[in-house]
Amino acid sequence: MNIKELNPSQLAAVTYNDGPQIIVAGAGSGKTRVLTYKIAYLLEQGVLAGHILALTFTNKAAREMKNRICQLVGEQSARYLWMGTFHSIFARLLRQEAELLGYTHDYTIYDTTDSNSVIKHIVKDFNLDDKVYKPSVVHGRISMAKNRLQSPNLYASDREYLMRDRFDKMPDMARIYAEYNRRLKAANAMDFDDILVNTHTLLQKHPEVAAKYQDIFHYILVDEYQDTNRAQYMIIRKLAELHQRICVVGDDAQSIYSFRGADISNILNFQKDYPNAQLHKLEQNYRSTQTIVNAANSLIRHNKGQIPKAVFSELNIGERISLSTYMSDRDEAKAVAKTIHSLAPSKYSYDDIAVMYRTNAQSRVVEDELRQLGIPYRIYGGMSFYQRKEIKDALAYLRLVTNMDDNEAFLRVINYPTRGIGDTTVGKLYAAARENKCSLMQVAIAPDKMTNDLSAATQKRVLEFAQMIERFAEDMGKKDAFFFAQDLLTETGILREAKNDTTPEGIARYENLQEMLSGIHEFCERRKQEGEEITLIADFLAEVSLLTDQDQNLDDDQARVTLLTIHAAKGLEFGATFIVGLEENLFPSAFCQTVREIEEERRLLYVAITRSMERCFLTNAKQRFRNGQVTFTTPSRFLKDIDSQFILNMDTQRATKVTLSRMPSVPTVKPSHNLTATTGLQEKSKKRTIRSEWKKDDRVTHRVFGAGTVLDVYRENDNDKIDIQFDNVGKKTLLITYAKLERL
């Protein structure tokens, strides 16, 4: 192994192994290289592989790192490394110690499907509404509580949790959580979150076990430390107590997974946890041009919660980042597709181009335009818009209405959303259809005549479904396709079910359904311009069938443009990137209300920009069709955060300048170059009194936090803020623009 290949900063990080260490690795700075060389260096210094614990977040990362280490020092030297994901390593540990926690060593690990099934049965046994207590939603809340090490008892006494559950009409959450844990234990089973919770419990309640593993793990290395949750943090701290040789690697500027439980304070407070820790910064970016690096730096500088670093590049200066504003999201997508067409394949391979967006729903219009130009693409970490489950469900309803003999569509939607028609009933309907040589819908229209196997109550439910489909079939030729689809998705309950699911996955499903309606609306408008007085839903389905057929016939070896969410893009790089939809309430998300949430959204844009090696294009639209209506937008506040010297306003330059002047105010404070002794955060800026509709002692209510009393209203770093002492959850600081307060 030749460590002289490393730059001075990398070399210093690799060779220091005498105590706690934090390696802050800027984007494209060779983080993985440093981590692999560090482990290889330890092995070459005579440290036994069995004394090294290396934790990653994915099996892929662990495999790649292990292979590189083997190439550096040989397979035999690296053979007994404790290297893998948090869950794989701790599951291995628990196998050996499970009896101390009341499990046998052959305990079962439940996946998400298993967990949801248990929750479904609990909801039924408790006689609760399964449309409110949906397994995925319940499991998500239990998972978040476990990641924060909150037991059922702690959950039941947490006022913020209880208030949120009451607001969402789920007051029995704590009871379900307790019963869920009891049933898993009785089944000698753990879910994924239990692997972390039980490892923490084992180490805390059994000092002899903690001492055993503290003695085994002389060196502990943690990758992507900014993504660790509370449970992972506590386990790592306990294991490192004896030797204190802990090395964490990460980048606070790329902490973007709080919705999964990640806690940025773990990395920000590392030097507080270990006062004698060595701080090493990897600041040279080997990926991007100087301009892209400088632009990203100017953006992230506006975050207060960060470890200051001066990321730089010695590559070419490169071209400025392109910024374009378009009249509509359709115009935006057309322009992106045309630009890609001009770049590939002469300047870039399709494989070297990516289009990134804040939400999955945004892919639809981009997909449409890429298809129009014959540009091949792939959806990274997901599927094409029309292949997503919720979209296929909605299309199945539309297909069934237009062709009531479509048995496949019938089977897909007969019990979606849930209406008490289970697999047994469906089996009886199918048997009756075969016997009578007719379609399933014909059986459903007259269940009393077609079969004797159904109870009166079941017949009633089946008949109600069939009559609903018949009503829509009668209206099909009377309504424009958009209004028809909107009414159908509303009456069937599909939209309501998706909207009531407040998990990230549920929000994404609702956005996708709304985007499908937007697509139908666009289709109707296009047909109107072509002279059609009315566009029927059958016309839209004909077009979609052609699109979905294209999705089925992909040549896997063909170079393709990558479409992906920014969250999925972390860790990837491309020659040219397009970041679309840079508008308020989209990016940053409309769900962001606090300063902490806004800062995470800014970090998300930082991650997006730093995926670019050479070319980066930022785009937005003045209007989008969302939620059944045209929505006029304003450019994202983050565009104003990027130093203008790194931005080139493109062919819509005049419109862009006008709209930029109307963007919301943003923080302009530059970060301090010193961390505070206690938190690692920069010092607070001065506050200024402002005029506002709110004043001290006003009684207000918030949709999540409930009732409270205003403590202060002020401007800080050009952001209008309000401090509120909530009755049940204590003091919160909110951005006034997004707080959506009501007066009591």
Side-chain angles (χ1 to χ4, degrees):
M1 182 180 71
N2 184 10
I3 60 174
K4 293 181 180 179
E5 298 174 347
L6 304 172
N7 70 34
S9 297
Q10 294 173 335
L11 183 62
V14 165
T15 55
Y16 177 81
N17 292 294
D18 296 329
Q21 178 186 23
I22 176 171
I23 302 173
V24 179
S29 62
K31 168 181 70 69
T32 303
R33 181 184 178 90
V34 167
L35 202 50
T36 53
Y37 267 76
K38 188 174 186 69
I39 295 170
Y41 180 79
L42 287 171
L43 294 171
E44 283 201 341
Q45 296 300 304
V47 178
L48 296 176
H51 287 319
I52 300 173
L53 170 63
L55 296 167
T56 65
F57 273 85
T58 66
N59 288 310
K60 181 174 180 284
R63 283 194 303 271
E64 289 178 354
M65 207 176 298
K66 184 87 174 276
N67 289 335
R68 291 168 79 169
I69 293 167
C70 289
Q71 291 171 10
L72 291 171
V73 298
E75 190 172 338
Q76 189 61 35
S77 297
R79 188 173 182 181
Y80 297 108
L81 281 171
W82 288 73
M83 175 174 280
T85 65
F86 287 87
H87 289 87
S88 66
I89 294 293
F90 297 151
R92 175 180 167 187
L93 187 151
L94 286 171
R95 291 284 179 204
Q96 301 177 35
E97 315 293 345
E99 292 181 359
L100 293 172
L101 298 174
Y103 297 87
T104 66
H105 70 277
D106 58 349
Y107 66 84
T108 301
I109 298 176
Y110 279 9
D111 62 17
T112 302
T113 302
D114 298 324
S115 295
N116 285 345
S117 178
V118 174
I119 292 167
K120 184 178 180 181
H121 285 106
I122 293 171
V123 169
K124 185 178 180 181
D125 293 345
F126 283 4
N127 293 317
L128 300 172
D129 188 346
D130 58 6
K131 294 183 179 63
V132 176
Y133 292 93
K134 292 191 290 187
S136 61
V137 176
V138 174
H139 184 230
R141 297 195 177 194
I142 292 174
S143 179
M144 188 63 77
K146 287 185 176 183
N147 286 331
R148 294 173 179 170
L149 296 176
Q150 290 192 295
S151 66
N153 287 338
L154 286 173
Y155 187 104
S157 60
D158 189 300
R159 288 189 297 180
E160 189 166 345
Y161 276 130
L162 295 178
M163 184 176 66
R164 182 196 62 180
D165 291 342
R166 283 198 299 271
F167 181 86
D168 292 334
K169 297 181 173 56
M170 300 173 67
D172 288 285
M173 262 300 308
R175 190 160 66 102
I176 294 172
Y177 182 10
E179 179 62 14
Y180 173 75
N181 267 15
R182 190 195 67 77
R183 293 193 185 187
L184 260 63
K185 188 69 175 289
N188 192 39
M190 303 182 196
D191 63 17
F192 288 130
D193 300 306
D194 284 331
I195 292 171
L196 299 179
V197 172
N198 287 334
T199 300
H200 174 261
T201 301
L202 182 70
L203 298 175
Q204 293 295 327
K205 293 189 174 181
H206 297 276
E208 74 285 0
V209 176
K212 170 184 171 182
Y213 289 100
Q214 288 168 355
D215 189 53
I216 291 174
F217 302 136
H218 293 194
Y219 294 87
I220 299 174
L221 301 97
V222 186
D223 192 18
E224 305 287 4
Y225 191 64
Q226 77 281 348
D227 294 334
T228 53
N229 59 35
R230 175 73 177 172
Q232 291 161 333
Y233 164 80
M234 293 296 293
I235 294 168
I236 295 163
R237 278 203 73 180
K238 190 68 178 179
L239 290 173
E241 269 184 7
L242 177 62
H243 296 288
Q244 296 279 301
R245 297 192 190 101
I246 176 174
C247 171
V248 301
V249 185
D251 183 7
D252 56 288
Q254 298 186 67
S255 178
I256 59 174
Y257 295 122
S258 65
F259 65 94
R260 296 180 187 169
D263 188 349
I264 192 175
S265 64
N266 292 346
I267 191 169
L268 293 179
N269 292 339
F270 186 84
Q271 290 176 287
K272 177 187 175 183
D273 295 335
Y274 301 94
N276 62 331
Q278 289 284 314
L279 170 64
H280 291 89
K281 298 181 183 180
L282 307 181
E283 296 175 307
Q284 184 169 359
N285 180 299
Y286 292 93
R287 174 188 300 152
S288 308
T289 64
Q290 295 181 38
T291 297
I292 288 172
V293 169
N294 291 337
N297 287 346
S298 70
L299 168 73
I300 203 64
R301 187 178 296 128
H302 292 269
N303 272 12
K304 292 193 301 176
Q306 63 174 296
I307 301 173
K309 52 190 167 294
V311 181
F312 67 96
S313 171
E314 293 184 349
L315 301 177
N316 296 331
I317 294 176
E319 296 187 49
R320 287 188 287 173
I321 292 176
S322 299
L323 172 62
S324 300
T325 296
Y326 300 95
M327 285 304 299
S328 70
D329 49 344
R330 175 62 63 178
D331 293 335
E332 177 189 44
K334 283 182 183 292
V336 168
K338 286 180 180 178
T339 306
I340 292 173
H341 193 266
S342 70
L343 292 174
S346 58
K347 297 180 182 177
Y348 296 96
S349 163
Y350 285 131
D351 282 335
D352 212 24
I353 299 173
V355 181
M356 292 180 280
Y357 32 77
R358 179 63 181 83
T359 68
N360 270 307
Q362 291 170 259
S363 80
R364 181 199 58 88
V365 67
V366 177
E367 288 184 63
D368 287 352
E369 294 304 323
L370 292 177
R371 286 194 188 100
Q372 288 292 324
L373 293 183
I375 297 172
Y377 68 88
R378 69 171 61 85
I379 308 291
Y380 183 87
M383 57 186 68
S384 179
F385 183 82
Y386 289 106
Q387 295 299 321
R388 293 166 189 163
K389 179 186 179 302
E390 61 275 10
I391 302 302
K392 294 187 76 168
D393 290 337
L395 290 175
Y397 265 110
L398 297 174
R399 282 169 45 198
L400 186 60
V401 167
T402 58
N403 174 19
M404 289 194 289
D405 291 331
D406 187 335
N407 283 346
E408 291 303 311
F410 180 98
L411 290 170
R412 190 171 185 100
V413 303
I414 178 65
N415 198 40
Y416 178 77
T418 305
R419 52 176 60 88
I421 302 174
D423 292 342
T424 302
T425 299
V426 171
K428 292 176 180 178
L429 293 174
Y430 206 85
R434 275 202 315 266
E435 185 179 335
N436 292 280
K437 297 181 180 179
C438 63
S439 68
L440 288 165
M441 181 58 78
Q442 288 175 295
V443 176
I445 291 170
D448 56 330
K449 297 177 181 177
M450 292 289 189
T451 177
N452 297 318
D453 290 341
L454 301 178
S455 67
T458 302
Q459 283 186 21
K460 183 173 182 293
R461 287 192 291 269
V462 170
L463 184 59
E464 286 174 347
F465 168 77
Q467 289 172 341
M468 177 184 68
I469 299 298
E470 281 189 312
R471 285 199 308 275
F472 276 107
E474 290 172 5
D475 290 342
M476 184 174 55
K478 305 173 186 175
K479 291 183 180 178
D480 175 278
F482 168 71
F483 293 107
F484 179 81
Q486 192 176 49
D487 290 347
L488 186 144
L489 295 188
T490 302
E491 186 168 334
T492 56
I494 292 178
L495 280 176
R496 181 177 61 254
E497 181 171 85
K499 191 174 184 178
N500 290 341
D501 186 347
T502 56
T503 64
E505 295 78 14
I507 292 168
R509 283 193 291 271
Y510 181 72
E511 289 173 341
N512 286 339
L513 289 167
Q514 290 291 353
E515 186 61 27
M516 189 192 82
L517 289 175
S518 297
I520 299 174
H521 182 270
E522 286 180 4
F523 180 74
C524 292
E525 289 299 304
R526 188 167 70 247
R527 294 281 294 239
K528 193 179 293 182
Q529 292 172 12
E530 294 170 356
E532 297 288 340
E533 290 187 11
I534 186 169
T535 300
L536 302 180
I537 199 65
D539 300 323
F540 174 75
L541 290 173
E543 176 160 291
V544 168
S545 67
L546 296 174
L547 298 179
T548 54
D549 186 62
Q550 290 177 26
D551 292 333
Q552 303 291 336
N553 297 291
L554 298 179
D555 178 4
D556 291 335
D557 295 329
Q558 185 179 8
R560 299 180 183 281
V561 173
T562 301
L563 274 57
L564 72 174
T565 65
I566 301 168
H567 283 101
K570 189 167 173 287
L572 304 178
E573 60 184 32
F574 304 90
T577 65
F578 297 79
I579 307 167
V580 301
L582 281 159
E583 301 140 24
E584 289 293 304
N585 295 323
L586 184 57
F587 198 172
S589 166
F591 295 98
C592 294
Q593 296 184 4
T594 66
V595 174
R596 188 180 180 111
E597 290 167 339
I598 291 293
E599 291 203 345
E600 177 153 332
E601 290 286 294
R602 188 178 284 109
R603 291 194 297 270
L604 191 60
L605 181 55
Y606 175 86
V607 167
I609 292 173
T610 55
R611 299 311 93 197
S612 309
M613 298 169 70
E614 296 176 346
R615 299 295 307 276
C616 182
F617 300 84
L618 309 179
T619 66
N620 56 23
K622 290 185 175 182
Q623 60 186 47
R624 285 184 186 273
F625 193 86
R626 299 180 73 186
N627 301 328
Q629 58 186 1
V630 174
T631 303
F632 293 93
T633 71
T634 55
S636 169
R637 67 187 64 196
F638 299 148
L639 293 173
K640 200 174 179 182
D641 289 347
I642 304 172
D643 194 318
S644 60
Q645 67 178 303
F646 307 122
I647 296 287
L648 175 64
N649 291 326
M650 297 300 289
D651 49 355
T652 53
Q653 185 172 355
R654 183 176 295 177
T656 302
K657 283 186 174 180
V658 171
T659 52
L660 281 174
S661 68
R662 297 200 299 269
M663 287 194 295
S665 299
V666 296
T668 56
V669 66
K670 294 185 178 180
S672 165
H673 291 286
N674 297 308
L675 300 178
T676 66
T678 56
T679 65
L681 303 181
Q682 298 166 35
E683 294 181 3
K684 288 186 177 180
S685 304
K686 293 181 180 179
K687 297 178 180 180
R688 303 196 304 273
T689 303
I690 60 169
R691 295 179 65 182
S692 169
E693 64 176 304
W694 309 109
K695 62 182 186 297
K696 190 173 184 297
D697 297 329
D698 279 350
R699 290 287 291 170
V700 299
T701 184
H702 185 271
R703 72 176 187 86
V704 175
F705 303 131
T709 302
V710 175
L711 300 177
D712 195 9
V713 183
Y714 55 93
R715 174 164 291 186
E716 185 180 43
N717 301 328
D718 293 335
N719 274 332
D720 293 342
K721 301 180 182 181
I722 186 168
D723 291 343
I724 303 173
Q725 183 68 37
F726 288 101
D727 299 348
N728 293 316
V729 299
K731 182 182 174 182
K732 298 284 185 183
T733 298
L734 306 177
L735 297 177
I736 293 177
T737 305
Y738 298 96
K740 298 178 182 177
L741 300 170
E742 294 182 9
R743 196 177 300 276
L744 286 179

